[in-house]
Amino acid sequence: MGSKVDVVIIGAGPAGLALANCFNGSSLKVRLFEKRLTRAKAGRADGLKFLTLEIFDALGIFDHVMSEACRHEEICHWSPGKDGTLQRLAIVPDIVPGLDEPREVTLAQDKVEQYLEDNLARHGSVQLERGRVPVKLVVDGSSIDDSGSHPVQLSLKNTSPKANNGTNSLNSGYVARTEEEEIFHAKYCVGCDGANSWTRNEMGIGVHLEGTDSIWGVIDIIPKTNFPDIRKACTIRSASSGSLLIEPREGRLVRFYVHIENVAANQGSSFDKSTCSPEKIASIARNIMFPYKLEYSVLEWWSAYHVKQQVANTLGSSNRVFIAGDAVHLHSPKAGQGMNASVQDDILKTYELERKPIAHALINFDRAYVPLFSNGCSSGSEKIASTDASKRFQTAYVEGLTSSTGIGIKYEPNRLVDEQGAPGYNGVAKNVVVGMRLKNVKIINQADGVMIRIQKLVKPDGKFRLLVFPGDISKGREAQRLLQLGEDLSHSKSEHPQALYARGHIEIITVHAAKRADIELLDLHEVFHPWSDEGGWDYWKVYSDDSTWHEGPCNTYNTLGIGAEGCMILVRPDGYVSLVCRMGDIGPVERFLAGCIDMTSE
């Protein structure tokens, strides 16, 4: 017969673990399977961009990550001078206009995975099973339109009958199993199983693959060097020995990406890693960095690879099986997008419509970016002079700071993005773009005066957030308007949004523009600070755009372009804006949610 579950996730890398963490606290039955018996202890992805850190904050592991991560503040570009000697070309602040948070930190992927695993164990909502290999995946096409059906059948076997040595401890990394094979019947399946995805192949999903002419090596070492910028992110382009990228890591570690050679750029070409070694990579790095010296006594990890770019032809099958992360997109690691794009992949009914263009944009960026790392790189048969290439590379690198954060992503109109908005909404929030991620503005809790970032309230728990900006409610007109909204929400005869609010599918968060001292929380309508018999009043639903005692003014309304009339903003579970409408006008919200509630109901 097999077990019935809501969701099965194949692969416990960053994408699979991040997705699993989105179900923490949920009543859904979710299982996470991984064929590896243990996590890899070193190497692989290490760059974490701003949006990924925001997601980690919502998941509850941000503080853990930041306690160990290496924060990047500056980027240095080195290139040959007129006499051919290596010199510092520029120091660029690692910032993006409009972003007042760190753009990037670095931390080993195995540590990120450990924090995500520990978070799963703390909540106990999702069970991770290691040593479990999928062997068969089929979808019953006759029942895929029935939301209550379990049309996905997944069969698994153990890596080894004694994979866990008889233990059943969370500390062992996976749950012990004794069955030779087990069948699960699921509503949905998500394959987060890497570039050579078994799920993708089982579903017959093809990929578009392109090889480049670049062979690169990477070493994680504790360097002994007189190079002055070793604790900054650096690009170094030599006159004749190639180029490299330096990424400082946690502790004393530093990662070196080193261009080794160019080969024929065709899909059939292969690279024999046995022809490379850590010392060969370090030797090339020394030549590139000359006259500076480079030695090391600690080598944590190394690898070498032929840069390839691939993107899946489709991101799922029958709206029941999806792929995410490297199963969708594969590219060079030098822009630090692999783990980030994987973590940010969303599993929604609009998933392919929204994320496939992002995957293609990522590959196109990488395709243009990789050749600029190499001296004498070519566009077609035309060779680019070193000086011109250095200038082009520096320009592309700086431009890439914004694109690599993901803050420029804009989803096109669909059933989760109402770009037209409500009648008369234009201008009520001039700096809020429907389809883009809501700016992570500061707000102050009305009850305790503690400042937080608004995205911390947008947890990936399947809920929409109706953000109410009523203006200065110390004034009579604005206070009355907020009271009326509370009445409308609590007595609405429409199924939406009140039924959703009562069932926990929508959360109402209020951010007013009055001075905190002029407002009493319990004077507001109960819908804005709901009561529960177990926990009493909810003190974490009302906030102010006031000045903090330690961090200064919030300037929330000014940052979002909201005027005295206020507005309402409907935010999706992933932090992107679905709808903007006038303050108090719940009609557009009702109509919008009526069209997509089937995607969020349990």
Side-chain angles (χ1 to χ4, degrees):
M1 290 289 293
S3 303
K4 283 190 175 183
V5 297
D6 293 293
V7 181
V8 290
I9 304 171
I10 302 173
L17 285 167
L19 175 60
N21 270 268
C22 292
F23 294 100
N24 284 338
S26 169
S27 61
L28 297 175
K29 295 180 181 179
V30 181
R31 304 289 282 272
L32 173 59
F33 302 110
E34 170 56 54
K35 65 181 180 181
R36 296 173 299 169
L37 299 179
T38 59
R39 294 186 312 278
K41 296 301 181 183
R44 301 177 298 160
D46 66 347
L48 299 170
K49 299 298 192 291
F50 167 74
L51 279 189
T52 301
L53 295 175
E54 272 194 357
I55 293 171
F56 286 167
D57 195 15
L59 294 177
I61 67 167
F62 174 82
D63 291 338
H64 296 292
V65 169
M66 292 303 291
S67 69
E68 283 198 79
C70 174
R71 179 168 164 170
H72 290 193
E73 293 291 331
E74 296 175 327
I75 302 168
C76 296
H77 297 288
W78 288 72
S79 200
K82 292 182 178 179
D83 61 355
T85 304
L86 198 64
Q87 65 180 23
R88 186 189 291 119
L89 185 65
I91 299 179
V92 180
D94 194 353
I95 60 175
V96 173
L99 185 65
D100 54 359
E101 294 287 315
R103 188 193 70 88
E104 180 180 20
V105 302
T106 48
L107 183 65
Q109 181 175 322
D110 71 288
K111 294 182 179 180
V112 173
E113 291 179 0
Q114 179 66 67
Y115 289 135
L116 288 167
E117 280 192 39
D118 291 347
N119 206 42
L120 285 180
R122 279 192 295 271
H123 287 82
S125 301
V126 179
Q127 183 174 324
L128 166 61
E129 299 182 33
R130 288 192 176 276
R132 303 283 276 160
V133 180
V135 294
K136 187 177 182 180
L137 178 64
V138 294
V139 180
D140 179 5
S142 66
S143 61
I144 58 176
D145 294 329
D146 179 0
S147 61
S149 68
H150 296 70
V152 180
Q153 180 177 307
L154 175 65
S155 302
L156 299 109
K157 286 187 177 181
N158 291 334
T159 301
S160 167
K162 299 180 180 179
N164 205 31
N165 297 322
T167 65
N168 192 32
S169 168
L170 284 173
N171 294 328
S172 67
Y174 60 98
V175 178
R177 308 292 299 183
T178 57
E179 298 91 347
E180 288 296 322
E181 184 173 337
E182 190 171 2
I183 297 174
F184 288 88
H185 299 277
K187 292 182 177 180
Y188 298 97
C189 172
V190 187
C192 305
D193 45 351
N196 298 314
S197 170
W198 175 88
T199 308
R200 187 185 65 216
N201 294 335
E202 191 76 353
M203 289 291 96
I205 299 173
V207 296
H208 178 69
L209 173 66
E210 290 186 10
T212 72
D213 63 356
S214 294
I215 302 295
W216 284 77
V218 55
I219 51 175
D220 288 340
I221 61 175
I222 296 180
K224 296 183 287 188
T225 179
N226 60 347
F227 182 68
D229 293 329
I230 196 64
R231 293 306 303 176
K232 300 183 181 73
C234 293
T235 65
I236 305 177
R237 298 172 57 85
S238 69
S240 58
S241 299
S243 58
L244 64 82
L245 172 65
I246 294 175
E247 292 279 356
R249 292 271 307 277
E250 66 276 12
R252 292 177 176 269
L253 282 172
V254 177
R255 173 166 290 188
F256 288 75
Y257 289 103
V258 182
H259 179 233
I260 297 176
E261 62 184 39
N262 288 341
V263 296
N266 61 75
Q267 296 181 16
S269 65
S270 61
F271 170 63
D272 184 359
K273 185 178 175 181
S274 66
T275 62
C276 196
S277 68
E279 184 50 39
K280 178 178 179 179
I281 297 170
S283 177
I284 296 173
R286 291 186 193 102
N287 292 334
I288 295 171
M289 296 173 66
F290 184 82
Y292 299 100
K293 300 183 183 302
L294 175 65
E295 301 294 338
Y296 66 92
S297 55
V298 176
L299 169 71
E300 184 175 83
W301 177 80
W302 77 278
S303 186
Y305 55 89
H306 184 184
V307 176
K308 296 181 179 180
Q309 292 131 351
Q310 73 177 33
V311 61
N313 295 336
T314 183
L315 276 57
S317 175
S318 306
N319 273 328
R320 292 290 189 161
V321 178
F322 301 91
I323 55 174
D326 285 354
V328 175
H329 38 68
L330 178 66
H331 46 84
S332 78
K334 287 175 285 300
Q337 285 292 281
M339 179 159 51
N340 295 276
S342 297
V343 169
Q344 294 165 28
D345 279 348
D346 310 298
I347 306 301
L348 303 166
K349 195 169 260 187
T350 58
Y351 176 53
E352 175 148 357
L353 176 66
E354 294 184 340
R355 294 302 290 182
K356 190 173 182 180
I358 303 303
H360 279 287
L362 178 62
I363 297 302
N364 290 336
F365 171 76
D366 192 62
R367 188 178 293 126
Y369 195 61
V370 169
L372 294 176
F373 267 92
S374 302
N375 280 323
C377 61
S378 61
S379 175
S381 60
E382 180 184 358
K383 293 289 181 178
I384 303 172
S386 286
T387 302
D388 291 339
S390 295
K391 292 179 180 178
R392 286 185 56 190
F393 174 76
Q394 185 182 352
T395 300
Y397 196 98
V398 172
E399 291 175 350
L401 295 182
T402 299
S403 62
S404 64
T405 62
I407 62 174
I409 292 174
K410 182 180 183 298
Y411 295 136
E412 295 303 314
N414 59 68
R415 61 188 303 187
L416 288 179
V417 176
D418 188 350
E419 194 173 49
Q420 293 183 342
Y425 96 98
N426 290 322
V428 298
K430 296 179 180 178
N431 299 332
V432 176
V433 180
V434 175
M436 294 188 72
R437 193 167 176 86
L438 183 69
K439 292 183 178 181
N440 200 17
V441 292
K442 299 177 183 178
I443 52 177
I444 306 172
N445 184 277
Q446 175 65 36
D448 59 22
V450 175
M451 186 277 289
I452 67 168
R453 297 279 180 170
I454 200 167
Q455 284 285 356
K456 194 174 183 67
L457 302 176
V458 185
K459 302 181 184 300
D461 55 5
K463 294 181 182 179
F464 283 86
R465 266 78 187 183
L466 180 62
L467 306 183
V468 178
F469 294 88
D472 185 352
I473 57 174
S474 66
K475 299 177 180 179
R477 177 175 173 269
E478 284 77 6
Q480 181 60 39
R481 192 169 53 176
L482 183 63
L483 176 63
Q484 183 60 55
L485 176 62
E487 288 294 307
D488 292 342
L489 289 171
S490 60
H491 296 103
S492 173
K493 295 181 180 179
S494 170
E495 180 185 356
H496 307 284
Q498 173 54 17
L500 303 178
Y501 165 70
R503 290 159 53 196
H505 286 298
I506 185 169
E507 183 177 14
I508 300 170
I509 297 170
T510 303
V511 183
H512 65 77
K515 296 291 184 182
R516 282 183 55 245
D518 295 339
I519 303 300
E520 292 293 340
L521 176 66
L522 299 186
D523 289 344
L524 303 180
H525 195 287
E526 181 177 341
V527 78
F528 301 116
H529 57 96
W531 170 272
S532 74
D533 291 336
E534 180 180 359
W537 296 113
D538 191 331
Y539 297 98
W540 296 272
K541 294 290 191 291
V542 179
Y543 296 83
S544 171
D545 178 12
D546 201 353
S547 292
T548 68
W549 293 111
H550 300 288
E551 290 91 359
C554 289
N555 293 320
T556 307
Y557 276 60
N558 286 338
T559 302
L560 298 179
I562 300 173
E565 290 296 311
C567 71
M568 298 193 303
I569 301 172
L570 187 65
V571 179
R572 307 182 339 177
D574 58 358
Y576 285 76
V577 177
S578 284
L579 177 71
V580 177
C581 55
R582 293 174 295 178
M583 172 60 198
D585 187 4
I586 66 171
V589 179
E590 293 178 344
R591 290 189 293 272
F592 178 85
L593 291 174
C596 61
I597 186 58
D598 61 305
M599 289 185 284
T600 57
S601 59
E602 293 182 2

